[in-house]
Amino acid sequence: MSRVFRRLSSTVTFKATPSKAHHHGRLPASSLPLGYQLTGVHAGVKKRAGVPDLAVILSTSEQPTSAAACFTRNAFKAAPVIVSEDVLMQNGGRARAIVINSGCANAVTGKQGMDDAWAMVKATDALLPPSKRDFRHETLVMSTGVIGQNLPISKILTGIEEQSEDRLSTRTLGSTFASWELAAKAFMTTDTFPKLRSRVFTIGGRKYRMAGMDKGAGMIHPDMGPARTSFSGFTGTGSGAKQLHATLLGCILTDAAISPRSLQSALTYAVDRSFNSISVDGDMSTNDTVILMANGAAAGAGAGQEVVEIDEKTDQEGYEVFKTELTEFAKDLAQLVVRDGEGATKFVTVTVKSAPSYKSAHSIASRISTSALVKTALYGEDANWGRILAATGSVPFLPTSSSPYASAPAIDPTRVSVTFVPADGSAPLPVLINGEPEKVDEARAKEILQEEEFEIEVEMGMGGGPETEAKYWTCDFSYEYVRINGDYRS
Amino acid sequence: MSRVFRRLSSTVTFKATPSKAHHHGRLPASSLPLGYQLTGVHAGVKKRAGVPDLAVILSTSEQPTSAAACFTRNAFKAAPVIVSEDVLMQNGGRARAIVINSGCANAVTGKQGMDDAWAMVKATDALLPPSKRDFRHETLVMSTGVIGQNLPISKILTGIEEQSEDRLSTRTLGSTFASWELAAKAFMTTDTFPKLRSRVFTIGGRKYRMAGMDKGAGMIHPDMGPARTSFSGFTGTGSGAKQLHATLLGCILTDAAISPRSLQSALTYAVDRSFNSISVDGDMSTNDTVILMANGAAAGAGAGQEVVEIDEKTDQEGYEVFKTELTEFAKDLAQLVVRDGEGATKFVTVTVKSAPSYKSAHSIASRISTSALVKTALYGEDANWGRILAATGSVPFLPTSSSPYASAPAIDPTRVSVTFVPADGSAPLPVLINGEPEKVDEARAKEILQEEEFEIEVEMGMGGGPETEAKYWTCDFSYEYVRINGDYRS
């Protein structure tokens, strides 16, 4: 137990985090939503010349554009979050532009920060063709980067003004894939690739498109709530509210026509099952925002012709299709963030089944996904179900009703099972069945866990049904994560 | 942005975790509580010969011995936890012995695990002199180690039986410092030193002693609740219940005479402010247990003479002194666990002031203390207040009353301040004052953060008073932590 010679230093050599570049590819032009113009430029927020740090997105549709958003629940909301929520509230869910900068979060920046965020909004408003409606502002704003520093606002405003219609030599707004890609690059901070996806879908026989971008690679575990517009009833799972998490920005654009309130409810539903179901390191942000815009441009209707917006009350079937498509799309985008997790070598799906409710399933999946011991075991490729079980058992259930005599549902350990599921469809490996440990085939465990992707399934045995299951996506904790976030001396 | 040559491996060399051996030292014989016999032996649970893995503690006092305990709230309570809680409940807070094994947690071990835990209790009962009272069992049991494996029960029972009074050649029970040290060693799993402390105190002019041991170095962030005896009203802060944490075992013995119910309330109070206020990695355990015994032996009274037990109702002053002494002592013991945190190079106190309540102050301190981004920044010796603030803002407050119209208190960002406080009493370094970032003197920040110990103070500005402040003790996240918990290939 005593050591005569004490090591002065330790050295570890580890496999470099694999390149994630293969996750980025060209999107087909036919999948890009109509009626949008985008760009990304280097305004000067980031030090390195040529690296995009400012994105502008305009809806040029003749139809009214609906907008919805979900924001961080952190008590220290950044200025852009407060401003965007204000614009949406004032306009009842309408906006026609988004301006985004990376390199500086404009958080904890006091009055100056608020002034700067409004200045970005006004400058971008000026890029829009005149509005038929009487909105004071029509732009939403997002920022990401360092906390506690003011924006280099004049550089940003110059960058926005250079996109004016009359500034032919500097204007780069466009609608090609290259335009979308530039915007996506302007979102990036520690991301190693621009995160951009598109999807084509059909409602009532008509073709629509959605495309979007997001960013995030560290300080990720969002729990966003809907904008406080007058029709925001649903407040999300709330389960993650106890573990609010970190800087994720997302932006989804579609050329479908959706009413403002239905856009918000569809987004809130989709965000809970996507962006609020990912974890890189369990931390939270002052800036998380996901914006969704629907501009009705798919119909190809002219200015005089009003396109009927899909609304959950008047076209429930159409709304349900949209909500489902949006949710699947949001999951894809959100998962890209996990795949790019700082230092991550694994992409793991955590599925919790047969919990008393979706909310509790989500809470448990969240605990497992953020557990430092589980995540280091994933890095070590160890089928350590003990750590998974301990995480599972640490989530208290709330009573099922508000009656003072209601008791919380109790976990029956003899009904809990844990299984490792390979991504290739081959036989799953149960490690705990109904509370009893299995003799684990170590070679098979190694086979499954050595892959970059696999799934951990936890069966709670407390009742079935689709609304009692939740999926969460997470990655491992590696030396690289510590190096990126802690090793300032290297 | 593109890399032509991709590194195949990365190497980091880092300072080895400093030796913690200096935290262990000899206790004065005069500080050891009277009326206890202890030992630690190698029964064979651990592989390495000579390494203690079984401890036995007996109260040999002529007076009745009170016992109290706090246990993990994990849904998958290990067999020893269930058994100990049962014994305490049956006996109304009386027990005279504790048996502890390390090397195997006896968790997720089904019926066999329960049988084995009861067998350990019975075998230890047999070591006690006959009782004046009619208790079926008088022993509490604790286990720590690997989850999901059954105990080598015959080895353990043999080890216990070898402590019988008539087994003169194998009996090692004693009351010297060496006896206490052997017991403390038998608790250890990944600990690098045995954790043992003592304290002398006075109530009403009479001298008493308490001494105790604990263990834990990884999977630490306990949130223990009181044993469900008939007088357990207080349920702890509950704040950590949302983030239940991991294997800590503690045992405190005193020769004062305290009534069972007052012993339990004092312990519950102390545990919340000590063992439930530490974090190594924010994970939780199936086995956390802290036991406190009070045997009245200090009075030196004989068998016929009954010593009056201190009770909060009949001697409030005496009870308050005991509760305060116990709380300070428990903090010392608990902090030892943080100091021995796996791979830890820092010992950091997080103080949250002027929250709406102790519970919310505790929740916020807990969030900051378990944040991966804060902990990696501590490792990197970076005065990163942005990460501290984000953690602070992620804890939702509950409404102050149960009325459906009650709103939750809101944080006013312009009243929040963050300060780094050096351990040597020199000038603190404010980094955020009333929501405004300070220009940080980087040299001074480096001076403070390069030390092994310092404090982070977060002032919430929501009202003052002692019951609105909480302290938490945490350590940093290093490469060593990942290596210990994740690097199975090395």
Side-chain angles (χ1 to χ4, degrees):
Chain A
M1 198 136 346
S2 64
R3 273 166 278 212
V4 179
F5 298 103
R6 174 107 196 141
R7 273 181 313 172
L8 291 174
S9 68
S10 293
T11 299
V12 285
T13 301
F14 50 94
K15 223 164 52 174
T17 311
S19 163
K20 311 292 171 62
H22 59 282
H23 289 296
H24 176 53
R26 195 175 191 77
L27 303 176
S30 58
S31 69
L32 301 173
L34 305 175
Y36 290 99
Q37 288 203 329
L38 305 87
T39 190
V41 297
H42 172 74
V45 188
K46 289 175 177 166
K47 288 187 173 43
R48 257 173 86 194
V51 178
D53 55 21
L54 175 68
V56 175
I57 299 172
L58 307 181
S59 167
T60 53
S61 173
E62 303 273 9
Q63 300 302 317
T65 303
S66 303
C70 288
F71 301 102
T72 182
R73 284 187 244 240
N74 196 299
F76 300 100
K77 288 177 165 59
V81 170
I82 297 172
V83 167
S84 294
E85 191 158 34
D86 200 341
V87 172
L88 268 184
M89 252 205 320
Q90 287 184 33
N91 298 359
R94 298 280 178 197
R96 282 195 292 158
I98 313 174
V99 62
I100 304 102
N101 80 276
S102 52
C104 176
N106 195 13
V108 199
T109 41
K111 187 178 182 305
Q112 182 65 53
M114 289 295 291
D115 290 348
D116 291 347
W118 281 116
M120 288 174 71
V121 162
K122 287 173 197 156
T124 313
D125 285 340
L127 302 177
L128 290 163
S131 172
K132 291 182 205 62
R133 310 212 180 194
D134 200 16
F135 294 127
R136 205 157 155 218
H137 299 294
E138 297 192 75
T139 301
L140 307 178
V141 52
M142 300 197 279
S143 300
T144 178
V146 183
I147 295 176
Q149 285 178 20
N150 287 105
L151 295 170
I153 190 61
S154 39
K155 290 180 179 175
I156 289 175
L157 296 178
T158 299
I160 296 170
E161 285 149 20
E162 285 177 349
Q163 295 302 324
S164 272
E165 272 191 327
D166 55 336
R167 302 284 298 272
L168 294 174
S169 59
T170 53
R171 186 175 213 262
T172 52
L173 279 162
S175 54
T176 62
F177 169 71
S179 311
W180 287 77
E181 194 184 36
L182 281 170
K185 285 180 172 174
F187 272 59
M188 293 167 64
T189 53
T190 51
D191 310 70
T192 67
F193 62 93
K195 301 178 171 72
L196 188 49
R197 285 288 184 272
S198 61
R199 186 184 182 96
V200 175
F201 59 102
T202 316
I203 301 178
R206 167 163 271 154
K207 174 184 170 184
Y208 300 101
R209 303 149 199 85
M210 64 173 71
M213 57 199 77
D214 64 359
K215 63 86 55 202
M219 209 184 194
I220 293 293
H221 193 167
D223 181 38
M224 293 173 278
R228 282 170 297 129
T229 40
S230 56
F231 35 73
S232 290
F234 183 52
T235 52
T237 59
S239 59
K242 297 165 186 60
Q243 288 189 1
L244 287 179
H245 321 293
T247 302
L248 179 131
L249 294 189
C251 164
I252 300 174
L253 310 173
T254 181
D255 51 23
I258 317 280
S259 71
R261 69 177 175 188
S262 292
L263 198 69
Q264 184 66 62
S265 42
L267 180 66
T268 305
Y269 180 90
V271 163
D272 261 337
R273 284 154 184 76
S274 58
F275 297 105
N276 283 352
S277 293
I278 61 172
S279 179
V280 167
D281 54 29
D283 276 12
M284 64 290 91
S285 157
T286 45
N287 286 58
D288 287 344
T289 308
V290 174
I291 292 170
L292 169 63
M293 285 171 69
N295 69 0
Q305 307 164 277
E306 194 84 359
V307 170
V308 176
E309 289 180 331
I310 294 168
D311 181 271
E312 54 204 295
K313 292 228 162 20
T314 53
D315 181 4
Q316 214 214 338
E317 207 179 300
Y319 168 74
E320 287 296 328
V321 172
F322 176 74
K323 188 176 94 173
T324 301
E325 294 288 338
L326 175 68
T327 301
E328 288 311 303
F329 183 68
K331 285 177 182 175
D332 274 347
L333 264 189
Q335 287 172 27
L336 285 178
V337 171
V338 178
R339 290 180 188 283
D340 202 17
E342 288 172 339
T345 69
K346 302 289 178 194
F347 175 79
V348 178
T349 305
V350 174
T351 304
V352 174
K353 295 181 161 180
S354 312
S357 61
Y358 174 75
K359 184 168 167 171
S360 50
H362 188 266
S363 291
I364 294 169
S366 172
R367 274 310 278 135
I368 296 167
S369 300
T370 49
S371 159
L373 277 169
V374 169
K375 288 159 78 81
T376 44
L378 294 178
Y379 178 58
E381 297 174 346
D382 174 39
N384 196 319
W385 59 266
R387 296 180 182 185
I388 294 168
L389 204 72
T392 302
S394 71
V395 179
F397 290 125
L398 298 171
T400 42
S401 83
S402 48
S403 154
Y405 303 104
S407 58
I411 295 178
D412 179 352
T414 67
R415 294 174 61 91
V416 176
S417 303
V418 178
T419 308
F420 283 86
V421 182
D424 65 5
S426 58
L429 179 70
V431 290
L432 183 80
I433 300 181
N434 290 329
E436 295 286 332
E438 293 299 292
K439 257 200 157 32
V440 176
D441 176 351
E442 295 294 340
R444 178 60 179 149
K446 194 169 175 176
E447 255 181 355
I448 297 176
L449 269 69
Q450 270 182 348
E451 294 300 311
E452 191 183 322
E453 288 194 39
F454 53 87
E455 179 180 355
I456 297 171
E457 198 182 273
V458 178
E459 167 62 55
M460 301 298 297
M462 299 172 79
E467 285 303 315
T468 61
E469 174 175 324
K471 280 195 185 289
Y472 223 91
W473 297 278
T474 189
C475 60
D476 53 329
F477 245 161
S478 66
Y479 292 119
E480 193 76 10
Y481 178 83
V482 176
R483 192 184 67 76
I484 291 170
N485 286 297
D487 204 348
Y488 294 87
R489 290 156 295 186
S490 69
Chain B
M1 199 142 338
S2 64
R3 271 167 282 211
V4 179
F5 298 105
R6 175 108 195 136
R7 274 182 312 175
L8 291 174
S9 68
S10 293
T11 299
V12 285
T13 300
F14 49 95
K15 225 166 48 174
T17 311
S19 163
K20 311 292 171 61
H22 59 280
H23 289 297
H24 177 52
R26 194 175 191 78
L27 304 175
S30 58
S31 69
L32 300 174
L34 304 175
Y36 290 99
Q37 290 204 326
L38 305 87
T39 191
V41 298
H42 172 73
V45 187
K46 289 175 178 166
K47 289 187 172 44
R48 257 175 85 195
V51 178
D53 54 22
L54 175 68
V56 174
I57 299 172
L58 307 181
S59 166
T60 54
S61 172
E62 302 274 6
Q63 300 303 317
T65 303
S66 302
C70 288
F71 301 102
T72 182
R73 283 187 246 239
N74 196 298
F76 301 100
K77 288 176 164 60
V81 170
I82 296 171
V83 166
S84 294
E85 191 157 34
D86 199 340
V87 171
L88 270 183
M89 252 204 320
Q90 287 184 33
N91 298 359
R94 298 280 179 199
R96 283 195 290 159
I98 312 173
V99 62
I100 305 101
N101 80 276
S102 52
C104 176
N106 195 13
V108 199
T109 40
K111 186 179 182 306
Q112 183 64 52
M114 289 295 293
D115 289 347
D116 291 347
W118 282 115
M120 289 174 70
V121 162
K122 286 173 196 154
T124 312
D125 286 340
L127 301 177
L128 290 162
S131 170
K132 291 182 206 61
R133 310 217 178 185
D134 200 16
F135 294 127
R136 203 156 158 221
H137 299 293
E138 298 193 74
T139 301
L140 306 179
V141 52
M142 299 196 280
S143 299
T144 178
V146 182
I147 295 177
Q149 286 179 20
N150 287 107
L151 295 170
I153 190 61
S154 39
K155 292 180 179 175
I156 290 176
L157 296 178
T158 299
I160 296 170
E161 284 149 19
E162 285 178 350
Q163 296 301 324
S164 272
E165 271 191 326
D166 56 336
R167 301 285 297 273
L168 294 174
S169 60
T170 53
R171 188 176 211 262
T172 52
L173 280 162
S175 53
T176 62
F177 168 71
S179 311
W180 286 77
E181 193 183 38
L182 280 171
K185 284 181 172 175
F187 271 60
M188 293 167 64
T189 52
T190 51
D191 311 68
T192 68
F193 62 92
K195 300 177 171 73
L196 188 51
R197 287 287 184 272
S198 62
R199 185 181 182 99
V200 174
F201 58 102
T202 314
I203 301 178
R206 167 163 269 155
K207 173 183 168 182
Y208 299 101
R209 304 148 199 87
M210 66 173 69
M213 57 200 75
D214 64 359
K215 63 88 54 202
M219 209 182 193
I220 293 293
H221 193 169
D223 181 39
M224 293 174 277
R228 282 170 297 130
T229 40
S230 57
F231 35 74
S232 290
F234 183 52
T235 52
T237 57
S239 59
K242 298 167 184 60
Q243 285 189 4
L244 287 180
H245 320 292
T247 303
L248 179 131
L249 294 189
C251 164
I252 301 173
L253 310 172
T254 181
D255 52 22
I258 318 279
S259 71
R261 69 177 175 187
S262 292
L263 197 69
Q264 184 65 62
S265 42
L267 180 65
T268 304
Y269 180 90
V271 163
D272 260 338
R273 286 154 183 74
S274 59
F275 297 104
N276 284 353
S277 293
I278 61 173
S279 179
V280 168
D281 54 30
D283 276 13
M284 63 295 89
S285 158
T286 45
N287 286 58
D288 288 342
T289 308
V290 174
I291 291 170
L292 169 63
M293 284 172 71
N295 70 0
Q305 306 163 279
E306 194 84 359
V307 169
V308 177
E309 289 179 332
I310 294 169
D311 182 270
E312 53 204 296
K313 293 232 161 18
T314 53
D315 181 4
Q316 216 215 338
E317 207 179 301
Y319 169 74
E320 287 297 326
V321 172
F322 176 73
K323 190 176 93 173
T324 301
E325 295 287 339
L326 176 68
T327 301
E328 288 313 298
F329 182 68
K331 285 177 182 174
D332 274 348
L333 265 189
Q335 288 171 26
L336 285 178
V337 171
V338 178
R339 292 180 186 280
D340 202 17
E342 288 172 340
T345 70
K346 302 289 178 194
F347 175 79
V348 179
T349 304
V350 175
T351 304
V352 175
K353 296 180 159 181
S354 312
S357 61
Y358 174 76
K359 184 168 168 169
S360 50
H362 188 267
S363 290
I364 294 169
S366 172
R367 273 310 277 135
I368 296 167
S369 300
T370 49
S371 158
L373 277 169
V374 169
K375 288 160 77 80
T376 44
L378 294 178
Y379 179 57
E381 297 174 345
D382 174 37
N384 196 318
W385 60 265
R387 295 181 182 185
I388 294 167
L389 204 73
T392 301
S394 70
V395 178
F397 291 125
L398 298 173
T400 43
S401 84
S402 47
S403 153
Y405 302 105
S407 57
I411 295 178
D412 179 351
T414 67
R415 295 174 60 92
V416 176
S417 303
V418 178
T419 309
F420 283 86
V421 183
D424 64 3
S426 58
L429 179 70
V431 290
L432 184 80
I433 300 181
N434 291 330
E436 295 286 331
E438 294 300 292
K439 257 196 157 36
V440 176
D441 176 350
E442 294 295 338
R444 178 62 179 149
K446 194 170 175 175
E447 252 180 9
I448 297 177
L449 270 68
Q450 268 182 349
E451 293 300 310
E452 189 182 324
E453 289 195 38
F454 54 87
E455 181 181 356
I456 298 171
E457 198 183 272
V458 178
E459 166 64 54
M460 300 300 297
M462 297 172 82
E467 285 303 314
T468 61
E469 172 175 326
K471 279 194 188 289
Y472 224 92
W473 297 278
T474 189
C475 61
D476 53 327
F477 245 161
S478 66
Y479 292 119
E480 192 78 9
Y481 179 83
V482 176
R483 192 183 67 75
I484 291 170
N485 286 298
D487 203 347
Y488 294 88
R489 290 157 293 186
S490 66

